């Protein structure tokens, strides 16, 4: 089981550097402070909620707060994005969470939107366009054949 204590991402990174498991990378180092800040904001937001099972019913409504804005991490293949995200994920004390690669996350979002009827699956759009094009082509050929009969 992962360590779910709120150890900063940068501390976990430095542990890996000190053990010789990885080499320090300036681009990764620049991202660590932002990941630490995001982890703190997410962990604090979680702590601000009511802890009892009926807290939502009896507690005062919290003031509307701005949602925590995340980070979009991008870079070349092999630069350590996945490793940093794993360190970040393990640094969160939030219990209800899910780790997903961007492509799997987007595929899941589309799947849920299609299931709930909020959108048509993108492949269905392309399939309909292809079918319509085939029907138009077939109609043109049939009309052309009738003219020559």
């Amino acid at each position: 089981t992962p360590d779910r204590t709120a150890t900063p991402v940068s501390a976990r990174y430095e542990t890996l550097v000190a053990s010789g498991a990885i080499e320090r990378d300036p681009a990764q180092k620049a991202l660590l402070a932002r990941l630490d800040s995001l982890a703190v904001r997410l962990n604090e937001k979680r702590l601000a909620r009511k802890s009892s099972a009926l807290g939502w019913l009896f507690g005062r409504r919290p003031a509307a707060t701005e949602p925590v804005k995340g980070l979009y991490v991008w870079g070349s293949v092999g630069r350590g994005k996945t490793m940093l995200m794993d360190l970040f994920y393990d640094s969160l004390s939030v219990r209800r969470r899910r780790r997903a690669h961007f492509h799997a996350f987007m595929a899941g979002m589309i799947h849920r939107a299609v299931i709930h009827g909020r959108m048509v699956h993108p492949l269905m759009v392309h399939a309909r366009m292809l079918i319509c094009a085939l029907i138009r082509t077939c109609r043109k050929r049939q009309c052309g054949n009738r003219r020559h009969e």
Side-chain angles (χ1 to χ4, degrees):
T1 51
D3 175 20
R4 288 202 174 160
T5 59
T7 305
V9 182
S10 55
R12 293 168 185 264
Y13 181 86
E14 292 301 330
T15 299
L16 290 173
V17 170
S19 72
I22 62 171
E23 291 181 22
R24 190 178 322 277
D25 180 278
Q28 292 173 353
K29 190 75 174 151
L31 181 59
L32 288 173
R34 297 180 74 188
L35 289 172
D36 280 341
S37 174
L38 178 58
V40 167
R41 290 192 316 268
L42 287 171
N43 288 330
E44 285 175 354
K45 185 169 182 90
R46 179 69 186 151
L47 291 175
R49 293 184 179 177
K50 299 288 182 187
S51 59
S52 71
L54 296 175
W56 63 271
L57 181 62
F58 298 112
R60 285 192 288 162
R61 298 258 180 222
T65 59
E66 289 290 319
V68 175
K69 291 186 179 181
L71 295 173
Y72 184 79
V73 179
W74 62 275
S76 301
V77 173
R79 291 303 311 266
K81 297 178 298 294
T82 299
M83 178 205 56
L84 289 175
M85 290 310 302
D86 288 339
L87 292 175
F88 171 75
Y89 183 83
D90 290 341
S91 75
L92 298 175
S93 60
V94 178
R95 292 178 143 221
R96 294 182 66 188
R97 59 193 178 155
R98 189 183 85 162
R99 171 81 169 94
H101 193 275
F102 179 75
H103 298 291
F105 172 76
M106 291 306 295
M109 293 293 291
I110 290 170
H111 178 73
R112 283 187 293 282
V114 169
I115 286 175
H116 295 294
R118 294 187 190 127
M119 73 178 282
V120 176
H121 196 284
L123 292 178
M124 292 301 295
V125 173
H126 293 293
R128 286 181 185 154
M129 290 170 48
L130 179 60
I131 290 168
C132 289
L134 288 172
I135 291 170
R136 281 193 302 272
T137 302
C138 290
R139 284 184 182 160
K140 286 179 184 178
R141 287 185 181 168
Q142 287 175 356
C143 291
N145 290 341
R146 288 187 188 147
R147 286 185 197 152
H148 296 291
E149 290 179 1

